[in-house]
Amino acid sequence: MKNDFQISHNKDSYTAPILFHSHDFYEIYLFADGNVKYYIENESYALSKGDVLIIPPGKLHRPVIENNAPYERYVLWLYAPLLENEGIKLLSARINALTTEKNTRRAEFKGDSLTRVTWLFDRLRECFCSAEPGSEYSARACITLILDEIAGALSRTEKFSDEPGGLVRQVIAYINENVAEAPSLDELAARFFVSKYYLSHRFREHTRTTVHQYILMKKVNLAKELLESGAAPQRASESCGFSTYSNFYKAFLAQTGVSPREYGRQRGNQLTG
């Protein structure tokens, strides 16, 4: 089952900040307790008990946790092989469509629906830890039901209005639309009519990273997608706007732990194996 998904249920207190990061897989996050504001790129969610977040591959995200407050959550990671299952593939596609239609990545559960979806997460954990024959089939059924619950909750959600966001929200949205062009801090400051010092401070306050590092993370994510689709490393480097292949290689290796060529080879083996 570990090739298809992983699930965890944790309750603890955090003092160290969690930085923006991304995954190559889908994350389903159920918030159970605490005082947390969750950022998914240029979106932010002040979480309440029973909120479920849907985080697709490649999306930079991080929680901001109140110091020393209890922090309880379930985290479900869905890997590519499982997402090829016909039923799960259809449900995940429906969820993706609903997040776009409703303009939100949050599904809310309360009362009986929260009890039901929490039970499914707990049952899935039992299956994941079980060595009993057939537990993988029960696990897949639980995942299917969890996705169905999320799709149902999203379908009942009112559409969120596209209200103008704050400065950092707008800057991140602009960067995401122009990753390959890699706008500089000076260019961003001029575009949004603020000083680069003010923008740099506000951006770091929101993301715990610099504009330059955020753009590098987005570029590497884009390069990973290109390599997974069969692009050669040199072509991926050029398409992502790196000035030299050496800069691309260093950034890619720092974020993934493997070279661009090795990453492309590994992903190719996973897709054909």
Side-chain angles (χ1 to χ4, degrees):
M1 284 185 282
K2 291 183 179 179
N3 293 325
D4 287 337
F5 74 95
Q6 288 197 51
I7 183 169
S8 63
H9 176 203
N10 296 298
K11 183 175 182 179
D12 41 36
S13 297
Y14 272 89
T15 54
I18 298 175
L19 303 181
F20 261 116
H21 59 282
S22 66
H23 307 297
D24 297 333
F25 44 79
Y26 270 87
E27 180 173 323
I28 307 294
Y29 170 103
L30 169 59
F31 180 66
D33 191 23
N35 186 353
V36 174
K37 190 168 187 180
Y38 211 102
Y39 293 85
I40 306 175
E41 301 209 342
N42 63 328
E43 305 166 27
S44 62
Y45 301 92
L47 297 181
S48 299
K49 181 177 180 178
D51 284 351
V52 169
L53 297 177
I54 303 98
I55 308 170
K59 288 286 184 182
L60 297 174
H61 57 280
R62 76 180 185 99
V64 175
I65 306 151
E66 185 70 24
N67 283 353
N68 300 317
Y71 175 38
E72 183 179 4
R73 70 281 186 201
Y74 294 80
V75 178
L76 171 59
W77 292 344
L78 303 178
Y79 301 137
L82 182 66
L83 294 172
E84 290 305 311
N85 173 271
E86 185 175 357
I88 291 175
K89 188 175 185 178
L90 287 171
L91 282 168
S92 60
R94 183 182 176 211
I95 288 169
N96 289 339
L98 284 166
T99 59
T100 300
E101 177 188 334
K102 303 293 184 173
N103 196 31
T104 183
R105 299 187 187 280
R106 173 168 56 186
E108 300 178 49
F109 292 89
K110 300 182 186 299
D112 291 344
S113 66
L114 175 56
T115 300
R116 190 165 56 248
V117 80
T118 303
W119 182 89
L120 285 169
F121 272 87
D122 283 327
R123 177 67 181 127
L124 180 57
R125 284 187 67 245
E126 292 174 5
C127 295
F128 184 71
C129 298
S130 174
E132 291 293 323
S135 56
E136 66 270 22
Y137 300 109
S138 297
R140 187 166 294 182
C142 286
I143 292 171
T144 302
L145 290 171
I146 287 170
L147 295 178
D148 187 61
E149 290 282 349
I150 293 170
L154 283 171
S155 68
R156 296 187 294 272
T157 298
E158 294 287 334
K159 181 175 180 178
F160 282 72
S161 60
D162 263 326
E163 298 176 355
L167 172 64
V168 176
R169 179 186 175 96
Q170 294 177 58
V171 169
I172 289 177
Y174 181 77
I175 290 172
N176 290 348
E177 293 171 0
N178 300 276
V179 173
E181 287 74 19
S184 68
L185 180 61
D186 286 329
E187 291 168 339
L188 290 169
R191 181 176 183 84
F192 291 95
F193 306 104
V194 294
S195 77
K196 65 179 183 180
Y197 305 103
Y198 177 75
L199 174 56
S200 180
H201 173 74
R202 290 295 307 277
F203 196 91
R204 181 180 282 277
E205 184 179 53
H206 177 94
T207 65
R208 296 295 194 274
T209 192
T210 65
V211 170
H212 175 69
Q213 283 299 321
Y214 182 90
I215 291 174
L216 273 185
M217 286 189 283
K218 293 298 296 183
K219 282 189 168 193
V220 169
N221 281 347
L222 176 58
K224 286 158 69 175
E225 293 177 13
L226 294 171
L227 292 168
E228 289 169 15
S229 66
Q234 183 68 44
R235 178 64 180 274
S237 171
E238 294 167 358
S239 297
C240 294
F242 282 92
S243 56
T244 66
Y245 185 80
S246 175
N247 288 341
F248 169 59
Y249 184 94
K250 290 175 183 176
F252 197 94
L253 184 64
Q255 288 189 44
T256 67
V258 297
S259 70
R261 191 171 303 281
E262 181 61 24
Y263 181 87
R265 187 181 301 117
Q266 289 175 0
R267 298 300 292 181
N269 289 340
Q270 289 177 13
L271 292 173
T272 58

